[in-house]
Amino acid sequence: AQSVAQPEDQVNVAEGNPLTVKCTYSVSGNPYLFWYVQYPNRGLQFLLKYITGDNLVKGSYGFEAEFNKSQTSFHLKKPSALVSDSALYFCAVRGDYNQGGKLIFGQGTELSVKP
Amino acid sequence: GAGVSQSPSNKVTEKGKDVELRCDPISGHTALYWYRQSLGQGLEFLIYFQGNSAPDKSGLPSDRFSAERTGGSVSTLTIQRTQQEDSAVYLCASSGRQGPYEQYFGPGTRLTVT
C-alpha cells in the first residue's frame, strides 16, 4: 500500500535561511508525489508535483522539491525562507491505479519562519 | 476563475442530528473528492466521484456517511446521527482529469458536534 511519512512535526527557520521539509514515501509502482501548503483556516493549496522527468521540480512561491528514487524521498526546499512561508505543509502520494487517484497524505509539518 | 467552493464554512450541530455539506467543484472538472481533516487522524480520504462511474466509497468511516453528486457537478456529503467523533474539517477537492493530476481544494467546512 502507498504511504507517506513526514518525520518532523515542526521545522523552525530564520528568515533568509534555506529551508527543507522532509518527506519519504513507499509505493508499489511509479511514484506520483505532491506538496500542498495550508494556511490557518484555509484549504490546501497545491505547490508542486513530481510525475516523471527531472528530479528537481519547481513550484509556486519559489519552492522546489527534489525527487530521490534511491532514498525514496521527496523533500521540499526553498533557498531563502520568508516569514509568510510559515504554514502547515503536507506531502502526498497518489493512490494505486485502481484507487482512483485519491491522495494519501503525510501527517504534516508545521513550518515556522522567524524574522 | 472560480475555485472550489464549500458551504457552510462552519456548522455546529447537536449529537444525533443529520448534517449536509455542499461542494461546488471547479467548472468542467470531472473528478471530485471528499477528505476529512482532524487532529487525531490527519487528512483522510472519504469518497471519490469520477464522471458517471460508480463512486469509490472505500474511505467512508461508517454507514452514517453518504455522498452524492448530481449532474456531474455539485456534491453533497451527508452525515446521519452525528457523533462527537465526526467533528472535523471536511475538505472537497476537484481535478480536471483522471490520472496523476493535482487536486484543487476548497476552503473546507468545519463541523462541530456538541
Side-chain angles (χ1 to χ4, degrees), chain B residues 21-95:
Chain B
L21 312 179
R22 177 187 167 106
C23 172
D24 278 274
I26 292 172
S27 178
H29 278 191
T30 58
L32 187 147
Y33 303 81
W34 283 96
Y35 295 87
R36 179 168 72 173
Q37 184 175 22
S38 57
L39 279 177
Q41 301 297 324
L43 271 159
E44 307 170 89
F45 164 78
L46 295 177
I47 188 168
Y48 158 61
F49 296 89
Q50 172 62 48
N52 295 322
S53 302
D56 174 1
K57 305 179 183 179
S58 61
L60 295 178
S62 79
D63 58 8
R64 295 185 296 104
F65 288 72
S66 62
E68 63 177 18
R69 188 178 185 192
T70 53
S73 181
V74 171
S75 177
T76 302
L77 177 69
T78 301
I79 309 173
Q80 295 179 310
R81 304 180 304 282
T82 51
Q83 303 294 313
Q84 287 187 328
E85 61 262 28
D86 300 334
S87 296
V89 176
Y90 290 82
L91 293 165
C92 176
S94 70
S95 177

Side-chain angles (χ1 to χ4, degrees), chain A residues 50-105:
Chain A
Y50 173 82
I51 304 300
T52 187
D54 265 350
N55 289 341
L56 187 64
V57 179
K58 294 192 182 296
S60 307
Y61 313 121
F63 283 94
E64 56 191 28
E66 187 169 9
F67 171 69
N68 187 315
K69 188 172 183 178
S70 63
Q71 296 186 3
T72 61
S73 66
F74 189 55
H75 300 332
L76 181 71
K77 301 183 179 187
K78 188 173 182 181
S80 178
L82 300 173
V83 172
S84 58
D85 293 329
S86 298
L88 186 57
Y89 290 80
F90 289 96
C91 182
V93 64
R94 183 178 178 271
D96 289 328
Y97 178 79
N98 62 355
Q99 293 181 307
K102 71 180 185 185
L103 293 176
I104 298 159
F105 289 90

Side-chain angles (χ1 to χ4, degrees), chain B residues 6-18:
Chain B
Q6 293 185 246
S7 60
S9 55
N10 280 285
K11 176 72 176 179
V12 179
T13 190
E14 292 179 354
K15 178 181 171 181
K17 301 280 191 185
D18 298 351

